[in-house]
Amino acid sequence: MEFNFIPNLLHSTQTATATLPTREQIEEKYKWNLKDIYESDDKWDKDFEWTNKNLIRFSDFKGKLSSSPSVLYACLMLDEEIGIKLEKLSLYAMLAKDSDMRVSRYHAMDDRIKNLYARALSESSFIKPEILSIEENQLRKWIEENQELKIFEHYFDDILREKPHTLDSDKESILALSSEIAQVPYNTYSIFTNADMKFPFIKDEFGSDIQMSHGRYYAAMYSKDRAYRERAFKAYLTPYKEYVNSLNSLFTGNLKANIFYAKVRKYNSAREAALSKNNIPVSVYDNLVETVNQNFAPMYRWAKLKKELLGVEKLHPYDIYVTLFDQKYERKYNYDEAVELVLNALEIMGDDYHNSLRKAFNERWIDVYETVGKRSGAYSSGTTYGVHPYVMLNWTDLLNDVFTLAHEMGHNMHSYYTGLTQPFHYANYSIFLAEVASTFNESLLLDYLIKNSNSKEEKLHLLERYLNNITSTFYRQVMFAEFEQTVYEKTEKGEALTPEELCNLYSSLFQKYWGPSMFVDDEESFTWSRVPHFFYNFYVFQYATGMAASETLAHKVKTEGKPAIDSYITFLKAGSSDYPINVLRKAGVDMNSPEPVLSVTKKMNSILDELENLL
């Protein structure tokens, strides 16, 4: 049994207004329609009770899977039936909770489904060990002779691959029961930083008093008022600094939980365990970090140019995102305008893809605006079998929001096509593939905007946007990946990670990635404590590999046309029917090679050349 959720919090922004609107003040068309999942909370409760009562049916199959192919198939069908219910229940509870994190009812529902899911994992934990107990030749024979089992062939291959790391059924049951406890650090972190943490009030760029928030911080980082940026930067990180000991405890608790599971399953490291789930070689991770460490020159070049164009003595972290050019050419984009831009940019993908996008926009799959109590950031819900995917935004009318929309709709279409095409047990895809679809859309959007720019100044802004995208989606994520690798390795060696050590490590990496033009403020060293992705267990490196792959695929679409488009749509439909490395290889990208990584660093240099020629 698998649980599918693809969180993504990149590119979150928010307007700096005195007070946030309530959910009731937002037009219905800008709020996701949860009735597509359940008509009411009561319907959710009924499905919950059905699932709760039917978990006992797993006991009918325990100890019997090796008896016949029909028994094995019947058990897999029950696992699928339960899994579909759990995914719908979880999706509804998560989206309802994230809509307003002050509502205790939906926190309770979210807790209930997590408890139920833990029970389901425990009740079904015998399945993989019993499949592994079947003699492999016998299992292969059953697959060949029974058409019903044939569709599970890759599923069985994946189980057999993990045989050295799979325990007996009793131990698997214990580990499944412990999964709820392992989620405590992240769940506590999420509630604390989104609902309980209080930010200070500051003067905005117009002299008005505003309370800092997650979204307002991001919006402030684009302000041309440097003093305001500095105030916002320091105010935003103040509570993280004040509560660093508690945040450190949650952070290290999450590390230790993942290390525990890796050791119990006899992996060499938590990193190997995390990557093994999708059969990603550790060498892919190492290749990414090492190749980037040998190619900091474009980043240093960009930092030096930023410093010169801003005319500052020292470049600070709060100078990273502000435009270098005249803001009168920096447009605001309301959501409806952005929808049309994304549709126009992706028209190159053909009618089928384009019509699917329109369906998502027209049928309320997206929650657009920040409201009181709403979760910060942006994400796509991933594939939930039998239900369309959802997208959460926090819209602020910035160009960055337009790219966030394109990014999340890349995830959304990936989930949509996979859910339409694959059976339940393949109707998900790894994060390794997910970030290809999202950055692919961003690349096509940027190309469209540059081609349709009306002036030199507008083109400069867009080229700058491209460079900032590479900075945040590629280099920054590799920096996060190197930080994550280091803290796990230190913990696995038995070293205690104090807040001071984490701050020093993060600060030194930030300096290394930005180079001599950057001055690292003390506040920046606490940024490790505000990155929720560090709780996702070796997640962030896939943003960078995804961008490297998407640059290759976007180039193919632009130069080869329909054959490349068809190949890309096939990629979106593949789900987990093959290992992600193979899915990408079939689409024309080999992530075992440094070439896709180098393609991004070379692209950054070429964009810098183009920008400097315009200056």
Side-chain angles (χ1 to χ4, degrees), residues 39-86:
E39 280 289 329
S40 65
D41 292 355
D42 289 340
K43 292 288 180 69
W44 185 94
D45 285 328
K46 288 180 181 179
D47 249 9
F48 183 94
E49 290 306 318
W50 182 94
T51 308
N52 188 37
K53 290 177 182 177
N54 278 273
L55 291 183
I56 190 69
R57 291 167 57 194
F58 280 113
S59 62
D60 296 339
F61 297 98
K62 194 169 185 179
K64 301 175 183 177
L65 297 191
S66 62
S67 62
S68 72
S70 60
V71 171
L72 174 59
Y73 178 72
C75 181
L76 293 175
M77 288 297 96
L78 171 63
D79 192 50
E80 178 175 309
E81 186 178 18
I82 296 292
I84 290 171
K85 294 285 190 186
L86 285 170

Side-chain angles (χ1 to χ4, degrees), residues 418-435:
T418 294
L420 282 180
T421 309
Q422 296 297 332
F424 172 74
H425 51 282
Y426 299 143
N428 191 27
Y429 47 85
S430 74
I431 305 301
F432 191 83
L433 297 182
E435 297 309 328

Side-chain angles (χ1 to χ4, degrees), residues 236-465:
Y236 181 68
L237 286 162
T238 292
Y240 291 97
K241 187 174 183 178
E242 290 176 347
Y243 295 106
V244 69
N245 291 316
S246 297
L247 295 168
N248 176 73
S249 179
L250 295 173
F251 179 82
T252 56
N254 182 68
L255 298 183
K256 290 173 182 177
N258 290 327
I259 290 169
F260 165 77
Y261 288 115
K263 284 182 176 178
V264 169
R265 294 193 179 282
K266 301 176 183 178
Y267 287 99
N268 293 317
S269 66
R271 184 166 63 122
E272 182 185 68
L275 272 60
S276 178
K277 180 181 179 182
N278 295 305
N279 202 24
I280 306 295
V282 172
S283 59
V284 170
Y285 196 110
D286 291 336
N287 173 67
L288 173 69
V289 174
E290 290 167 7
T291 304
V292 167
N293 268 260
Q294 294 165 12
N295 289 275
F296 286 135
M299 273 291 285
Y300 293 178
R301 182 182 172 192
W302 180 219
K304 185 173 182 290
L305 183 60
K306 274 180 173 283
K307 179 181 172 183
E308 292 172 356
L309 292 177
L310 285 172
V312 294
E313 184 179 340
K314 294 177 180 178
L315 191 69
H316 289 258
Y318 49 81
D319 296 321
I320 288 175
Y321 298 108
V322 64
T323 180
L324 305 174
F325 308 109
D326 194 329
Q327 272 192 307
K328 72 180 180 181
Y329 297 101
E330 188 178 14
R331 282 190 52 199
K332 295 287 187 180
Y333 300 84
N334 67 44
Y335 173 72
D336 294 314
E337 289 174 319
V339 166
E340 290 306 311
L341 282 174
V342 170
L343 285 169
N344 291 340
L346 295 170
E347 194 169 4
I348 188 177
M349 294 304 297
D351 290 342
D352 187 67
Y353 188 94
H354 208 246
N355 290 336
S356 298
L357 271 177
R358 283 196 177 277
K359 182 180 177 71
F361 289 134
N362 293 337
E363 297 183 8
R364 292 177 56 200
W365 296 10
I366 304 164
D367 204 80
V368 181
Y369 296 107
E370 183 176 19
T371 52
V372 176
K374 182 179 173 182
R375 175 176 168 167
S376 65
Y379 65 69
S380 172
S381 65
T383 309
T384 301
Y385 197 75
V387 181
H388 65 75
Y390 287 81
V391 162
M392 189 185 80
L393 303 172
N394 280 281
W395 198 264
T396 65
D397 291 348
L398 295 173
L399 177 62
N400 197 50
D401 293 319
V402 185
F403 280 90
T404 300
L405 178 62
H407 181 106
E408 299 304 342
M409 294 314 296
H411 289 311
N412 192 272
M413 290 296 99
H414 198 175
S415 299
Y416 178 65
Y417 276 108
T418 294
L420 282 180
T421 309
Q422 296 297 332
F424 172 74
H425 51 282
Y426 299 143
N428 191 27
Y429 47 85
S430 74
I431 305 301
F432 191 83
L433 297 182
E435 297 309 328
V436 177
S438 56
T439 53
F440 175 90
N441 274 15
E442 288 193 72
S443 181
L444 291 183
L445 173 62
L446 190 61
D447 281 348
Y448 173 83
L449 293 174
I450 290 173
K451 286 178 183 175
N452 289 276
S453 58
N454 296 316
S455 65
K456 167 188 166 181
E457 290 78 12
E458 186 178 354
K459 189 172 184 180
L460 282 170
H461 274 290
L462 292 167
L463 291 171
E464 178 188 40
R465 176 61 181 76

Side-chain angles (χ1 to χ4, degrees), residues 1 54-66 71-72 74-76 78-79 119-134 155 159 166-176 265:
M1 182 171 293
N54 278 273
L55 291 183
I56 190 69
R57 291 167 57 194
F58 280 113
S59 62
D60 296 339
F61 297 98
K62 194 169 185 179
K64 301 175 183 177
L65 297 191
S66 62
V71 171
L72 174 59
C75 181
L76 293 175
L78 171 63
D79 192 50
R119 278 192 55 220
L121 283 177
S122 178
E123 294 292 338
S124 63
S125 61
F126 68 92
I127 295 176
K128 288 186 179 181
E130 286 198 29
I131 289 173
L132 288 172
S133 72
I134 303 171
Y155 168 82
I159 292 175
T166 304
L167 310 179
D168 63 45
S169 59
D170 288 340
K171 291 175 183 174
E172 287 289 343
S173 178
I174 293 170
L175 288 184
R265 294 193 179 282

Side-chain angles (χ1 to χ4, degrees), residues 9 12 189 193-194 197 199 214 217-218 221 233 236-241 244 247-248 251 317 320-321 376 476 480 483 506 510 523-535:
L9 306 179
S12 173
Y189 173 87
T193 56
N194 285 288
M197 183 181 281
F199 293 94
H214 296 290
Y217 165 72
Y218 286 103
M221 291 302 98
F233 172 75
Y236 181 68
L237 286 162
T238 292
Y240 291 97
K241 187 174 183 178
V244 69
L247 295 168
N248 176 73
F251 179 82
I320 288 175
Y321 298 108
S376 65
R476 181 174 174 84
F480 285 169
F483 175 83
Y506 185 86
F510 192 88
E523 287 82 3
E524 181 62 29
S525 68
F526 292 89
T527 292
W528 62 267
S529 66
R530 73 171 184 85
V531 180
H533 294 69
F534 288 147
F535 288 83

Side-chain angles (χ1 to χ4, degrees), residues 105-207:
R105 171 176 176 77
Y106 294 120
H107 280 286
M109 287 171 67
D110 195 52
D111 286 341
R112 287 173 65 199
I113 187 59
K114 284 183 170 68
N115 293 338
L116 186 63
Y117 183 66
R119 278 192 55 220
L121 283 177
S122 178
E123 294 292 338
S124 63
S125 61
F126 68 92
I127 295 176
K128 288 186 179 181
E130 286 198 29
I131 289 173
L132 288 172
S133 72
I134 303 171
E135 202 277 321
E136 186 171 345
N137 289 337
Q138 179 67 63
L139 182 61
R140 298 290 181 195
K141 184 179 179 183
W142 284 0
I143 293 169
E144 289 303 316
E145 293 177 351
N146 295 268
Q147 198 61 36
E148 291 175 330
L149 288 179
K150 185 71 175 175
I151 197 170
F152 288 92
E153 187 168 11
H154 177 63
Y155 168 82
F156 291 131
D157 286 342
D158 202 33
I159 292 175
L160 292 170
R161 178 182 63 85
E162 287 288 277
K163 187 171 184 176
H165 308 291
T166 304
L167 310 179
D168 63 45
S169 59
D170 288 340
K171 291 175 183 174
E172 287 289 343
S173 178
I174 293 170
L175 288 184
L177 286 170
S178 73
S179 65
E180 186 181 359
I181 300 171
Q183 295 171 18
V184 169
Y186 172 68
N187 291 337
T188 305
Y189 173 87
S190 181
I191 292 170
F192 179 64
T193 56
N194 285 288
D196 294 342
M197 183 181 281
K198 303 301 180 186
F199 293 94
F201 281 82
I202 63 168
K203 295 285 186 183
D204 69 8
E205 54 204 320
F206 307 108

